[in-house]
Each structure stands twice: as structure tokens, then as C-alpha cells.
Amino acid sequence: MNRHSDRQTSQAGAASRSPWRYLGWMALAVVLIGSLYAVLFWAAMAVPPGDAVLYAGTNAVPLVLLAGIFGLVIRGAVRPLALSYQALAHAALAVSFAAAWYGAVIVLQALVRLAQGRGFVPGHFAPQALAWHAFQGVALYAAIAATSYATARQAQRDAPPPMDRLERYFSKASDTIRCIQVRDIVSISGAQDYSDVTTTSGRHLARFSLGEFERRLDPTRFLRIHRSGIVNLDHFDRAEPAGSGCFLVTLRNGETLRTSREGARKLRALLF
């Protein structure tokens, strides 16, 4: 496996781990924020420890869930907007976040009272407590927005730079170095970490894997018809049924290549 394959494997592994990592951070946030609220209820409001933990959860759980949801909205829907529209969107979202958090806390606290046998009776905050809760909601939304912008910029910096389209490359045979023009490529066959390239003037071995060729070549001119074969559509002559949903492709130099079923599907997609 070459370095490009190693990088792809690493990125795929990181992608597969990201949902679990995200859930882990959310759980940690619930524990930390809930602990702070529990201490506040117990120490400042003389709430019994058991009830303090329950009421802390009614604040922390919806807060963390709403933070995740609004963070996704900010990254996916707000950031692409013009700055003036972003400001309006943030104002509306800040109010929505505070209101949604307050409503969720009221409902969850009513459920706690129901579980304690006191009936499902949604309450309300006293004016001063409501004002403080609204202030917390807006301030926390601002922190969520700032974090969302920072993480989005970091993700952009960490993203691998896009590869330029390959127009030419150099190949060495013995002591001779030749410049290969991509337009002269007829077909490419995979050879482990290398590729066997057929051009209009001959064949050579390139130090590119077939996957790297596929990423660097213009997809409107080159088509991967099999897991081990790419053809230049400029040199395509005809394709005939070969059974099992596959085609036998004939190129203008007389070379024939069999497609896979996926390659046949790609060829059919080119039909008008």
C-alpha cells in the first residue's frame, strides 16, 4: 500500500470514529454542565442532593442537545450566507435557542415532578429567574456560534488541498526520461502500486496507482470501466455486449478491455 492509500485509510478511519467521538463529547458536556448546575441548586438554593441532580439534568441535557443541533444549523445554513443575512439569522437563532431551552426545561421538570408522584404540572420561572435564563441562553448561543465558526475554519485548514488535473507527467525507462502527455494515453491497467500505461506511441510503467490516476485525470475524458482498468474516451471505438451485464470495449488502437457491471453502468450513463 502506498502513501496515498495510507492517507485514505486514515481519513476513512477518522470518519468512522467521528460519530462516536461526537457522542462522547456530548456525554462529557452533559456531565460537566450537569455537575455545575447540581452544585448550584444544592449550595445556593438548598435543594436536596438527589433533586439537585435531577433538576440539573433537566437543564444540562436539553442544553447540550440544542447546542449540537444549532451548531449544525450554523455550520450548514448560516455560514454560507452574506454577512448581513448572517447577522439577522443569528439574532433569530439566539432567541429561538433561548426559548427552546426554556421550554425543554419546563417540560422536563414537569416530568420529574410526575415521576415523583406530584403530577404533570408544567411550571414557570419567576421574572428574575426567567430573565437570567434568557440571558444564559443568548450568551450560550453566542459561544456555540463562535465555536462553530472556529471548528469550521479549522476543518477547512485541515482538509487536504485539491489535486490539480494531471496534464503531463514524466516516466523513466533505463536512463531515459520521457514526458508523457495525458492526451496521448489510450488506456491504463492497474499493477499494484504502479500502473501499466498504453499511449499512442507505446507502453510504460508509471509510478502512480490506478486510484491516483483516477483522482487526477479529467473524469469527462477518462472512464474507469473496471477496478483494474481506465480508458481514454477520446480513443474509444465501440462497446459490445459480453454477457453478465458487461461490455467488451474496443479502442481505436485495436485494444480490447472487458468492463465490470459498474463500468457497463457508467457507459450506459453516457448514452443520449
Side-chain angles (χ1 to χ4, degrees):
M1 183 177 292
N2 59 24
R3 64 182 183 276
H4 303 286
S5 300
D6 291 337
R7 183 176 61 189
Q8 283 185 321
T9 301
S10 176
Q11 291 174 350
S16 65
R17 293 191 300 269
S18 59
W20 296 106
R21 183 177 300 174
Y22 182 69
L23 290 175
W25 280 113
M26 290 186 68
L28 180 60
V30 168
V31 171
L32 292 177
I33 296 173
S35 299
L36 292 174
Y37 270 105
V39 171
L40 176 65
F41 290 144
W42 173 68
M45 303 174 66
V47 176
D51 289 346
V53 171
L54 287 175
Y55 285 109
T58 64
N59 281 269
V61 172
L63 174 60
V64 173
L65 292 177
L66 288 171
I69 294 171
F70 277 72
L72 292 175
V73 172
I74 292 168
R75 288 192 293 271
V78 177
R79 285 187 70 253
L81 299 176
L83 290 178
S84 57
Y85 290 107
Q86 287 188 46
L88 293 174
H90 284 307
L93 287 173
V95 174
S96 300
F97 179 84
W101 185 30
Y102 174 73
V105 170
I106 292 297
V107 172
L108 289 177
Q109 288 184 354
L111 290 173
V112 169
R113 286 191 288 270
L114 178 63
Q116 293 173 336
R118 292 188 287 167
F120 183 81
V121 182
H124 61 276
F125 286 11
Q128 289 183 339
L130 178 59
W132 172 244
H133 199 276
F135 172 77
Q136 286 185 87
V138 173
L140 288 170
Y141 174 82
I144 293 165
T147 302
S148 299
Y149 277 79
T151 54
R153 285 194 294 267
Q154 185 62 43
Q156 289 177 344
R157 288 194 293 267
D158 293 342
M163 290 186 175
D164 296 331
R165 293 293 179 205
L166 192 65
E167 295 296 334
R168 68 183 64 83
Y169 63 92
F170 293 89
S171 174
K172 182 178 180 181
S174 298
D175 293 329
T176 303
I177 297 177
R178 297 173 53 211
C179 179
I180 308 298
Q181 299 293 331
V182 165
R183 63 176 178 270
D184 295 331
I185 294 176
V186 178
S187 67
I188 310 170
S189 298
Q192 296 182 350
D193 289 344
Y194 295 82
S195 295
D196 188 10
V197 182
T198 300
T199 68
T200 54
S201 59
R203 296 175 61 181
H204 65 274
L205 201 63
R207 293 184 177 179
F208 284 172
S209 68
L210 200 65
E212 185 169 1
F213 263 120
E214 184 179 22
R215 290 190 299 273
R216 300 287 303 276
L217 294 174
D218 185 352
T220 65
R221 295 173 57 196
F222 290 86
L223 185 69
R224 189 163 186 169
I225 62 171
H226 193 274
R227 62 182 179 84
S228 60
I230 295 175
V231 297
N232 186 344
L233 295 176
D234 292 338
H235 297 273
F236 184 91
D237 183 27
R238 65 184 184 275
E240 300 169 317
S244 301
C246 303
F247 283 116
L248 188 65
V249 173
T250 301
L251 303 176
R252 291 178 180 172
N253 65 349
E255 183 181 3
T256 58
L257 297 167
R258 184 185 177 92
T259 72
S260 62
R261 290 182 180 178
E262 176 63 16
R265 184 193 64 78
K266 293 178 182 178
L267 279 177
R268 292 190 188 95
L270 299 177
L271 295 173
F272 284 92

